[in-house]
Amino acid sequence: MAKLVRRAMRSKKLTCVSIAFFLLLCQFVQLEAQLQVGFYTSSCPLAEFIVKYEVSKGFFSDRGVAAGLVRMHFHDCFVRGCDASVLIDSTSSSTAEKDSTANNPSLRGFEVIDNAKARLETLCQGKVSCADIIAFAARDSIEITGGLGYDVPAGRKDGKVSLSSEASANLPAPTFNVNQLTQAFANKGLTQEEMVTLSGAHTIGRSHCTSFTTRLYNFNATTNQDPSLDPLYASQLRQQCPKGSTIPNLVVPMNPGSSATMDSGYYMDVLANRGLFTSDQTLLTNQDTADQVNQNAMNVFLWRRKLAAAMVKMGQIGVKKDDTGEIRSNCRKIN
Ligand SMILES: *[C@@H]1O[C@H](CO)[C@@H](O)[C@H](O)[C@H]1NC(C)=O
């Protein structure tokens, strides 16, 4: 009798295991099939073209918009997945991601997304998600600044929640060291090498002084200036970002030698102790990340390919395809 019960239990366990395996397989297949290159080919054939047009229009009136849009995709994907939660406006009862200190006042490019969305709603109402518009716009921004273009798998839906607290909890800070950075990217399924590759996007754009002035004026109890920062660069930065300045939104270019081009200038800067943030300079403190900085500095073609691949992978974080998402008609508001 006991033997029989045991056998029955064993076979039940086996069935459970095989069901679990089957479910896992289904999930895997589903994950693989989640996004699709050319997703709008029949539902809105001009979608990608219109986004590209709006990105170039924005870029030619303000080149900094390109860096803004790459950063927007990153800040979207790291918080609740790539679901355009970063675009939702705060309401009287809820402070949204875009108003967290990580995003406000530094995040920009919103008008490019709004313009593209408005045209797409006129042309093919309710078809193109805001999350996909951000993903396309980030790709176009990389391309327009001399990076490598790549196919963007699409079909994301837009999320219905945006919380400021989640932005600060998920976005890596400019003060992070290499271990904290690695962990923040690992939390999103990205490798340390992809973290180094994506950091290279700091080769374009600008930064608010507040993101690094600690390195210039009050590093620690024994030294005001971060010893890992080139002293000449530090003195230039002190002129651009005076201590205790009350000028709002004071900014400096990242990679000042070529701050509008997707070149390997960022990695050259880091090698010369001219990485602007702690989170840039820290890449030299670990053997593996330092090796990659070297490689990328020496081979810009390799880096551009790696960047394209890492952007595609980042663009798949936490994607929604079902009823947990929707196609917003206005990117700033839940339907
Ligand atoms: C300040 O930083 C320097 C350089 O990293 C270090 O040598 C020193 O020990 C630090 N001092 C304190 C009090 O943490």
Side-chain angles (χ1 to χ4, degrees):
M1 187 63 198
K3 211 179 209 173
L4 221 88
V5 169
R6 253 205 315 272
R7 195 182 301 156
M9 274 174 64
R10 205 175 319 141
S11 82
K12 204 172 213 169
K13 224 185 268 167
L14 238 128
T15 322
C16 287
V17 167
S18 52
I19 288 176
F21 179 74
F22 182 68
L23 284 177
L24 205 78
L25 200 77
C26 290
Q27 215 167 32
F28 184 71
V29 169
Q30 211 172 19
L31 262 173
E32 285 292 282
Q34 239 176 4
L35 298 177
Q36 229 175 291
V37 171
F39 184 80
Y40 296 108
T41 306
S42 55
S43 61
C44 193
L46 288 180
E48 294 194 42
F49 174 80
I50 285 170
V51 174
K52 199 178 285 283
Y53 175 83
E54 289 299 333
V55 169
S56 33
K57 212 176 80 184
F59 180 75
F60 289 119
S61 71
D62 174 5
R63 285 168 172 250
V65 142
L69 290 166
V70 175
R71 184 162 177 258
M72 182 186 285
H73 190 34
F74 164 46
H75 281 206
D76 181 32
C77 293
F78 266 55
V79 187
R80 282 189 175 268
C82 314
D83 69 344
S85 52
V86 74
L87 299 179
I88 294 176
D89 282 344
S90 294
T91 63
S92 54
S93 59
S94 165
T95 308
E97 283 172 35
K98 65 160 56 155
D99 287 319
S100 77
T101 51
N103 289 327
N104 187 357
S106 56
L107 205 64
R108 57 193 180 135
F110 294 109
E111 67 291 345
V112 171
I113 306 294
D114 286 338
N115 291 344
K117 180 64 176 175
R119 291 188 61 191
L120 289 170
E121 283 301 294
T122 314
L123 197 69
C124 22
Q125 194 179 12
K127 293 284 187 256
V128 185
S129 71
C130 301
D132 281 343
I133 295 175
I134 300 177
F136 294 144
R139 181 266 317 272
D140 299 336
S141 297
I142 288 177
E143 218 177 348
I144 207 168
T145 48
L148 197 63
Y150 54 92
D151 287 335
V152 176
R156 298 168 187 80
K157 283 201 173 161
D158 301 324
K160 302 176 189 173
V161 178
S162 179
L163 299 168
S164 161
S165 57
E166 293 185 337
S168 36
N170 288 281
L171 292 169
T175 52
F176 272 14
N177 65 33
V178 69
N179 295 330
Q180 293 170 308
L181 288 170
T182 303
Q183 187 59 57
F185 280 70
N187 290 344
K188 304 296 165 188
L190 297 170
T191 65
Q192 186 180 61
E193 182 168 3
E194 286 161 342
M195 179 273 286
V196 178
T197 300
L198 290 164
S199 295
H202 282 169
T203 199
I204 58 167
R206 59 188 197 183
S207 160
H208 279 74
C209 291
T210 47
S211 295
F212 57 84
T213 38
T214 303
R215 302 185 71 201
L216 305 177
Y217 298 115
N218 39 7
F219 183 64
N220 70 14
T222 47
T223 172
N224 290 334
Q225 189 186 304
D226 184 342
S228 72
L229 183 62
D230 168 55
L232 182 63
Y233 188 39
S235 75
Q236 288 165 356
L237 290 171
R238 274 193 293 270
Q239 282 172 22
Q240 294 169 287
C241 303
K243 187 175 191 174
S245 168
T246 51
I247 304 167
N249 299 337
L250 212 51
V251 294
V252 302
M254 318 266 302
N255 180 218
S258 57
S259 72
T261 319
M262 277 285 169
D263 54 17
S264 51
Y266 167 80
Y267 296 106
M268 307 280 202
D269 282 349
V270 171
L271 287 175
N273 294 323
R274 294 163 65 94
L276 192 55
F277 301 152
T278 299
S279 60
D280 298 320
Q281 203 56 53
T282 189
L283 298 180
L284 288 191
T285 64
N286 167 295
Q287 190 60 55
D288 294 331
T289 56
D291 286 349
Q292 281 149 21
V293 167
N294 257 299
Q295 258 181 29
N296 295 340
M298 285 190 302
N299 191 342
V300 68
F301 301 102
L302 170 75
W303 173 65
R304 286 187 183 133
R305 282 198 304 276
K306 281 172 33 170
L307 180 67
M311 289 295 290
V312 170
K313 187 164 166 199
M314 186 184 84
Q316 323 243 351
I317 298 172
V319 160
K320 300 174 177 66
K321 280 212 71 178
D322 53 15
D323 290 346
T324 57
E326 62 183 11
I327 309 286
R328 262 177 239 152
S329 54
N330 172 349
C331 289
R332 294 172 179 268
K333 291 192 188 79
I334 295 153
N335 288 348

